[in-house]
Amino acid sequence: MKCIIPGLNVKARAIHALCRIGDELYVEPEPSKISFRAVSSAKSAYASFTFSENFFSYYNYEHTDSQDDVTCKISMKSCLAVFKSPGHMDKQVEACQIRLEPDGVKLIFEFQCYHGIVKTHYLPIIECETLEAVYSKDMVPNRFMVQPKVMSFGLMNFQANTPEITLIVTPQKMHLRNYAEDDSELKKSVRTELCLEAGEFDHYSIGVDTSVTFCLREFRALLMFAEAVSLPITANFETGGRPIVFVVKNPPTFETNFVFATLMPLSINQLNSSQRSSASSKQSSKDSAAKKRSATSNANIHDVQIAGPSRTNRHEELIENDSEGLERMDINENSNQDNGEHSPEEDTVPGTPPPPPSKKIRYIFQRCFEPTFDSEMLPGYDEVLAEDSDEEAALRT
């Protein structure tokens, strides 16, 4: 196989779009066209760029009856090293030649640049099988065509790290919404929703009301390519759980198909079970909160019951070395009994053991029963900083 791409078509937009899909590039030449394909590691996204012989200035494919279909796979990382700057390729390259020998082990890219410079890249071939995706885009009930700028403007409202996007379609309008698996996830993230009327589309035909959820990262790669070539995007899909196919084509030059897997929508039973599980989780949280409140109230009641004796014993311990304070306390207790007031011992619960003595409390409150503070004991009390005035002296005398 040998083909030559003119300098105006050496944009490498397709290669840079495929690098966002998979890590390997499949090259499959045929008698009248050549295809470049990629698939994600999770097999959830597939992209195929098919260029007809009209795209090339020279195309030759030698095929014999005994020869099987030629398919080769190369590393996407090494291919990106060949097509580094797609915006300047047409300004630097006059033509690009792609060669694949019948029994070769390398795919050859030869760039004929200006001023007679020739750059040749040899990319090793990885053994592989033919890559084919099973999908249908003809007999589907839902189809729309939209300009890539409209979708790009709509996606600007979503966060850059949004993993999936959901399209909710009706015959009148389409809703774009970031996907959330359950209500708990909604509370932790920003919910974005955008509505597009049917008049925003070049063609809008919805036969079945449905919603489809697919990965947004691969869809952005499609938008970047469609904006670069200024071509509309056509979407063909059925319901959730079935693949959605996006097509960008410019007949008879090339055609691009992006196939994305969609999430299966929740059934009524699953919705009810999820609601029941959420309700049960809420009820269990309420029960646990009630248990915590009851445990707290029981603890407070227990503290109130032991407050009487513990307070009395602590006072006795704190003043055990102060005989005068002990006499004062006895006098106060006798006066309370004479006045008909009950003593703290009456509030105690019999049989409650006293708490162990605490050295920390004794250390903190050891100065509570010392004599009243005397300012004359402060250092510098006798020092006179300013003499009294005549009036102050007269008043003092």
Side-chain angles (χ1 to χ4, degrees):
M1 184 273 297
K2 180 180 178 181
C3 60
I4 299 176
I5 306 174
L8 295 177
N9 293 339
V10 185
K11 297 287 187 179
R13 302 289 185 183
I15 302 299
H16 283 260
L18 290 172
C19 75
R20 296 176 176 268
I21 303 297
D23 297 331
E24 287 85 19
L25 177 65
Y26 293 79
V27 182
E28 300 182 5
E30 297 181 19
S32 60
K33 59 184 179 180
I34 183 173
S35 299
F36 298 89
R37 300 173 180 176
V39 63
S40 63
S41 58
K43 302 296 188 296
S44 60
Y46 166 84
S48 174
F49 286 79
T50 301
F51 299 92
S52 63
E53 56 185 358
N54 297 328
F55 181 80
F56 306 93
S57 60
Y58 174 81
Y59 187 84
N60 182 20
Y61 177 75
E62 298 178 358
H63 179 74
T64 60
D65 296 336
S66 60
Q67 184 180 4
D68 297 334
D69 295 336
V70 178
T71 301
C72 64
K73 181 175 68 173
I74 58 178
S75 173
M76 188 69 72
K77 185 177 181 180
S78 61
C79 189
L80 286 176
V82 176
F83 300 93
K84 293 182 180 179
S85 55
H88 302 281
M89 293 293 292
D90 56 341
K91 300 178 182 179
Q92 300 174 358
V93 178
E94 293 182 348
C96 175
Q97 182 182 126
I98 303 176
R99 299 198 308 270
L100 179 62
E101 303 297 334
D103 296 329
V105 294
K106 294 181 180 180
L107 185 64
I108 304 172
F109 291 88
E110 184 178 300
F111 294 96
Q112 299 177 3
C113 304
Y114 292 98
H115 308 291
I117 300 175
V118 179
K119 298 180 181 179
T120 306
H121 301 268
Y122 299 90
L123 304 185
I125 296 176
I126 305 173
E127 295 183 1
C128 67
E129 298 178 353
T130 303
L131 178 64
E132 290 289 343
V134 180
Y135 60 92
S136 176
K137 59 183 179 180
D138 296 329
M139 303 300 294
V140 292
N142 302 323
R143 183 178 288 107
F144 65 84
M145 180 184 294
V146 64
Q147 295 294 328
K149 291 184 178 180
V150 176
M151 298 301 295
S152 297
F153 178 77
L155 293 180
M156 288 175 58
N157 299 278
F158 294 86
Q159 295 182 346
N161 58 351
T162 302
E164 292 96 8
I165 187 173
T166 301
L167 303 183
I168 304 174
V169 294
T170 61
Q172 293 79 22
K173 55 187 175 180
M174 172 192 294
H175 290 268
L176 283 75
R177 180 186 301 172
N178 57 331
Y179 175 73
E181 188 174 359
D182 51 12
D183 295 338
S184 61
E185 187 176 350
L186 286 176
K187 298 178 182 179
K188 300 177 183 178
S189 61
V190 178
R191 187 64 181 271
T192 307
E193 185 172 350
L194 182 68
C195 178
L196 297 177
E197 300 291 339
E200 300 286 344
F201 299 85
D202 298 346
H203 174 74
Y204 190 78
S205 176
I206 302 298
V208 178
D209 297 353
T210 185
S211 63
V212 290
T213 302
F214 51 89
C215 187
L216 185 56
R217 180 177 181 272
E218 287 81 359
F219 186 64
R220 292 184 188 274
L222 169 63
L223 288 179
M224 292 177 59
F225 174 79
E227 284 187 286
V229 297
S230 301
L231 292 175
I233 301 173
T234 303
N236 308 272
F237 59 98
E238 298 181 28
T239 59
R242 301 287 299 172
I244 181 172
V245 184
F246 294 96
V247 181
V248 178
K249 60 182 179 180
N250 185 18
T253 307
F254 71 90
E255 180 177 342
T256 302
N257 293 331
F258 279 74
V259 185
F260 300 148
T262 61
L263 296 179
M264 183 70 68
L266 294 177
S267 61
I268 298 177
N269 296 331
Q270 291 176 338
L271 288 174
N272 294 334
S273 62
S274 62
Q275 293 175 357
R276 288 194 298 268
S277 61
S278 62
S280 62
S281 62
K282 292 180 180 179
Q283 185 64 28
S284 61
S285 62
K286 291 181 179 179
D287 296 341
S288 61
K291 291 180 180 179
K292 289 181 180 179
R293 289 194 296 269
S294 63
T296 307
S297 61
N298 293 333
N300 295 333
I301 293 172
H302 184 65
D303 293 339
V304 171
Q305 291 176 352
I306 66 174
S310 63
R311 191 180 300 112
T312 304
N313 294 328
R314 287 179 182 176
H315 279 288
E316 292 177 355
E317 292 170 359
L318 292 174
I319 63 177
E320 60 183 358
N321 296 326
D322 191 353
S323 59
E324 295 180 357
L326 183 60
E327 293 177 357
R328 287 196 297 269
M329 186 173 181
D330 293 336
I331 294 171
N332 292 333
E333 290 179 356
N334 295 329
S335 62
N336 292 336
Q337 292 177 2
D338 295 338
N339 295 332
E341 298 179 358
H342 59 276
S343 62
E345 296 181 356
E346 296 178 359
D347 295 335
T348 60
V349 179
T352 304
S358 176
K359 295 183 179 180
K360 184 177 181 181
I361 296 176
R362 184 181 305 172
Y363 174 76
I364 294 174
F365 297 99
Q366 64 181 349
R367 299 189 62 184
C368 292
F369 300 95
E370 291 183 359
T372 308
F373 171 76
D374 188 4
S375 60
E376 297 181 358
M377 298 175 61
L378 293 175
Y381 176 78
D382 298 334
E383 183 179 359
V384 179
L385 300 178
E387 298 292 339
D388 294 339
S389 62
D390 297 339
E391 296 180 355
E392 293 176 347
L395 292 175
R396 295 187 63 178
T397 56

